Amino acid sequence: MIRRRKIGAFEFDRPWLILCEGRGDKELLHKLITSDPSLHNTFTIRFPSRESDSTGGRGKFGNWLRDVCDTAPSFGENVRGVVIVSDVDADRSGSLREITSGLSAAGLPTPSGEGVEARSAGFPATIIIYLVPHDTLGSLDTLCVQALGSKWNLLEVVEEYIDKTPAVAWSATKRGKAMLHALLAATCATKPEATLSTVWQECAKYHIPLDTNVFDDLIAKLASLRKSRL
Amino acid sequence: MERQPAGAADRRMIKAAVIENFRGFRRTELQDCRRVNIIVGANASGKTALLEALFLASGGSPEIALRFRQWRGLEQGVTGVLATDFLWNDLFYNFDKDNEISIKLIMDPFGQRSLDISYTGDKTVLLPGYNLTQAHYTPSPVSFTWETPDGKSTITPIMGPMGNIQISGAAQPKVENYFFSSGGHYSAADTANRFSQLSQNYQEQEIVDVFTSEFPKIDKLGVEIYNGIPALSGSIGGIPKKLPLALISGGVNKFATILCCLHFQRHTTLFVDEIENGFYFNRLESLWRNIHKIAMKNEAQIFASTHSAECLQAASLIAEKYPDDFSVIHLGKHGSKHFQGRQFTFAMEEDIEIR
């Protein structure tokens, strides 16, 4: 179902497109790249929002990119690279395979692995895939839990709490989401129901800290893209 | 709004078109046109010219080319020999009359229909039957040739000494289509006549039902005569007399006029310039819904231009259910780009600028 939205058509006016999984990821990535002056004016961030696309999860990336390429003149004119930032979840190679299968099915350049650039005729941009976290299972939420938990010195407490709930049996990604919700609810005094996408509208002291080394690897990768010659 | 008369059923839908040397088009192509075709593009990108080209080629008479000037707000009354050139010059790409205008329509399922407009120069030729005293009635320097699988006809308008223009004959076979200019001059009498004819055949009820559901404050829709001139009229609460719809609201009148045109005959083609004009934003979705519904039922086809994101968004809500029936044609510096139904709804959903 097409949602009614405010009128304000979108244009791709940056050389790199970051394609992520959802609104919360988008807001976090936006904060990350705007907090680092070296990343300004380089990245547009979008996520496949098309509800009518029955392709699930990461498989949507391929169809979405193909449709954007077909419909948005500004994509072909301005975008030279696409970086897909997706969650590792419980199976690093499985997650990568899900993305590359979707890209391949859409007839797009298909990277052979994480951090490998792919290019092909008929598509104007290089495609590269980064899975997060880079060194463990989980998701972007997992990184946020580490950052926010450290800030409030609640990391051990929230892990202990989650271990005493049914979430103990969940996947790393789901446990990460539960811990993030718990941390936000217990620290964001102005809006305990804040989420990864809405907490940024609250007072800065309740934000997830971005100046920790938790995000260093991701920022370094994005910075290297900015410097790369496409 | 201008109507061309009904005639032989030589066509159903325009599936594709090639336009050469017409107004701002050196050459442009339309492909895979659908039931509803929405034309977008910047000012001066050729949206109106595209509608004019299709309207002119899909039937009618050279007179229509003159009416284009009027719809665009240019003076119509011209006199003198030079005026005969002046009248037609702007039809030609870059005013270059050496290059013949060619508009080819690929019709589904009845083959090709074409219009060639050529400049015959200063050759003042006496037409058969004209004597010397009539010599000041000269053929205009352009001729219009329509060709269909059924035949070919050439019409050369005759220019009179006072700027009057005589056009005899008509392109064959004629077709049923209507042009709504952005200025929105609709003949109340024409609409009333169409409604009356539908009513005489007990076919007006669907129009009444749609109209009153869209505008529930207006009822008792019918034709009334005002000082000898018929007008589609309605009753609106608090006013003691029925009023012509044109006096109630421009948008209401336009909506009723479109409904009447679509209902009047099957296989109609509607050309609507700046379709959103006159409509309150929250009417746009139902406008498209009704246009699409009636177009499907009566096998009509719509070509409509718009600048409005709200209008596109409203159309996309209908296109989402009927993607194969919709196409958006963007006119730009590098020609036309088509967004077929699914691409159209994707762009709307993702807030991608396609205007």
Side-chain angles (χ1 to χ4, degrees):
Chain A
M1 176 64 188
I2 293 172
R3 299 177 304 283
R4 291 175 186 279
R5 63 175 72 217
K6 65 181 171 65
I7 302 296
F10 184 86
E11 299 232 28
F12 294 89
D13 56 359
R14 307 287 165 85
W16 277 93
L17 166 66
I18 297 176
L19 192 51
C20 60
E21 292 193 15
R23 189 170 302 280
D25 291 1
K26 179 186 172 183
E27 294 299 328
L28 174 68
L29 289 164
H30 174 72
K31 288 292 173 187
L32 278 174
I33 63 173
T34 53
S35 67
D36 186 331
S38 71
L39 301 180
H40 283 183
N41 301 322
T42 304
F43 298 98
T44 297
I45 309 170
R46 298 293 296 241
F47 60 93
S49 58
R50 192 167 210 202
E51 294 167 16
S52 51
D53 183 349
S54 59
T55 311
R58 301 173 190 82
K60 284 185 177 179
F61 290 138
N63 284 340
W64 190 91
L65 275 173
R66 170 51 63 197
D67 285 339
V68 161
C69 184
D70 289 344
T71 55
S74 61
F75 182 87
E77 290 164 7
N78 300 323
V79 177
R80 295 292 166 261
V82 176
V83 55
I84 296 173
V85 176
S86 187
D87 295 334
V88 171
D89 285 341
D91 177 3
R92 190 169 208 100
S93 59
S95 296
L96 180 66
R97 195 164 49 248
E98 197 180 341
I99 297 169
T100 54
S101 296
L103 293 172
S104 177
L108 298 177
T110 305
S112 56
E114 281 185 67
V116 179
E117 293 185 9
R119 179 174 270 285
S120 70
F123 190 74
T126 292
I127 296 181
I128 192 165
I129 300 169
Y130 290 142
L131 297 180
V132 289
H134 71 286
D135 56 356
T136 184
L137 301 181
S139 64
L140 264 178
D141 293 1
T142 310
L143 301 183
C144 293
V145 167
Q146 291 172 24
L148 194 60
S150 298
K151 173 184 175 181
W152 294 93
N153 199 22
L154 290 171
L155 199 51
E156 289 181 13
V157 174
V158 77
E159 284 176 350
E160 189 180 339
Y161 162 66
I162 289 298
D163 284 348
K164 291 179 176 172
T165 69
V168 68
W170 297 354
S171 68
T173 296
K174 285 186 175 178
R175 273 204 314 277
K177 287 186 187 303
M179 283 192 274
L180 183 57
H181 279 295
L183 282 169
L184 287 171
T187 59
C188 186
T190 51
K191 193 171 186 180
E193 71 271 31
T195 65
L196 183 54
S197 60
T198 63
V199 68
W200 311 104
Q201 296 158 16
E202 304 305 311
C203 178
K205 65 182 177 183
Y206 303 128
H207 289 183
I208 296 162
L210 304 174
D211 54 351
T212 77
N213 59 10
V214 168
F215 298 107
D216 284 354
D217 177 74
L218 182 55
I219 290 175
K221 283 173 176 166
L222 295 178
S224 71
L225 293 178
R226 182 181 176 278
K227 293 172 190 164
S228 71
R229 295 169 65 87
L230 293 173
Chain B
M1 190 275 299
E2 185 64 28
R3 174 195 168 206
Q4 294 185 356
D10 69 315
R11 49 180 272 292
R12 287 297 183 270
M13 288 229 303
I14 298 171
K15 293 303 290 180
V18 181
I19 300 165
E20 292 179 299
N21 300 317
F22 183 77
R23 294 225 195 271
F25 299 121
R26 173 70 186 84
R27 176 188 166 88
T28 197
E29 290 186 27
L30 305 184
Q31 293 173 341
D32 197 13
C33 297
R34 304 292 176 90
R35 182 73 62 191
V36 179
N37 304 277
I38 304 172
I39 300 159
V40 296
N43 289 121
S45 60
K47 298 185 295 299
T48 303
L50 177 65
L51 295 174
E52 289 173 342
L54 299 177
F55 185 56
L56 195 56
S58 63
S61 140
E63 184 196 7
I64 297 302
L66 299 175
R67 291 185 185 271
F68 291 157
R69 298 179 59 79
Q70 193 178 16
W71 297 339
R72 285 173 175 263
L74 297 169
E75 294 301 320
Q76 198 180 23
V78 287
T79 59
V81 175
L82 286 176
T84 61
D85 254 10
F86 168 78
L87 276 177
W88 312 105
N89 276 358
D90 52 29
L91 294 179
F92 291 84
Y93 176 71
N94 276 353
F95 303 96
D96 182 357
K97 293 171 290 190
D98 290 338
N99 290 322
E100 186 174 283
I101 295 170
S102 168
I103 306 169
K104 291 185 173 63
L105 308 180
I106 310 301
M107 314 298 295
D108 183 18
F110 293 105
Q112 181 170 300
R113 178 185 180 91
S114 67
L115 167 64
D116 293 331
I117 306 174
S118 57
Y119 185 73
T120 52
D122 299 324
K123 294 177 288 183
T124 302
V125 179
L126 280 181
L127 294 180
Y130 281 78
N131 57 37
L132 284 177
T133 60
Q134 292 172 307
H136 51 267
Y137 279 86
T138 59
S140 81
V142 296
S143 62
F144 292 70
T145 302
W146 279 268
E147 186 168 3
T148 73
D150 298 326
K152 185 173 179 178
S153 62
T154 298
I155 300 174
T156 303
I158 309 298
M159 311 299 297
M162 302 301 291
N164 56 314
I165 298 165
Q166 299 175 0
I167 295 172
S168 56
Q172 56 123 358
K174 303 166 188 173
V175 294
E176 181 77 20
N177 56 15
Y178 302 89
F179 195 104
F180 289 71
S181 68
S182 60
H185 305 294
Y186 317 123
S187 163
D190 283 352
T191 304
N193 280 330
R194 274 189 285 280
F195 185 88
S196 177
Q197 286 186 51
L198 288 165
S199 177
Q200 289 165 36
N201 294 305
Y202 304 109
Q203 293 174 343
E204 86 288 10
Q205 193 56 47
E206 191 171 354
I207 292 178
V208 173
D209 291 345
V210 169
F211 185 84
T212 51
S213 76
E214 290 303 316
F215 302 104
K217 290 181 180 174
I218 303 170
D219 62 1
K220 297 184 174 58
L221 198 65
V223 173
E224 304 297 337
I225 308 295
Y226 298 90
N227 200 25
I229 299 172
L232 190 57
S233 305
S235 172
I236 188 164
I239 297 178
K241 293 173 68 172
K242 287 180 81 172
L243 290 173
L245 296 186
L247 286 183
I248 295 175
S249 153
V252 166
N253 190 41
K254 184 175 179 179
F255 186 74
T257 305
I258 288 174
L259 286 183
C260 285
C261 290
L262 285 173
H263 270 287
F264 191 61
Q265 186 167 328
R266 292 171 68 80
H267 311 307
T268 290
T269 306
L270 240 59
F271 301 94
V272 189
D273 200 10
E274 297 183 12
I275 191 169
E276 74 275 17
N277 285 358
F279 293 109
Y280 190 58
F281 74 93
N282 72 358
R283 292 291 89 194
L284 291 170
E285 184 182 343
S286 59
L287 170 76
W288 283 118
R289 181 181 299 108
N290 283 298
I291 281 179
H292 173 257
K293 182 179 169 187
I294 301 168
M296 289 298 292
K297 182 181 174 191
N298 290 344
E299 297 182 60
Q301 189 178 22
I302 318 294
F303 289 84
S305 72
T306 185
H307 285 291
S308 162
E310 286 176 321
C311 186
L312 274 181
Q313 191 177 44
S316 75
L317 296 171
I318 314 305
E320 188 184 25
K321 285 187 181 173
Y322 305 95
D324 292 342
D325 292 341
F326 281 79
S327 169
V328 173
I329 301 163
H330 176 269
L331 297 179
K333 281 183 285 187
H334 307 297
S336 64
K337 180 171 171 57
H338 292 236
F339 302 96
Q340 305 302 8
R342 202 179 69 83
Q343 294 175 333
F344 169 37
T345 57
F346 175 81
M348 289 293 101
E349 192 172 6
E350 294 294 340
D351 213 10
I352 291 170
E353 181 63 270
I354 58 170
R355 289 174 297 165

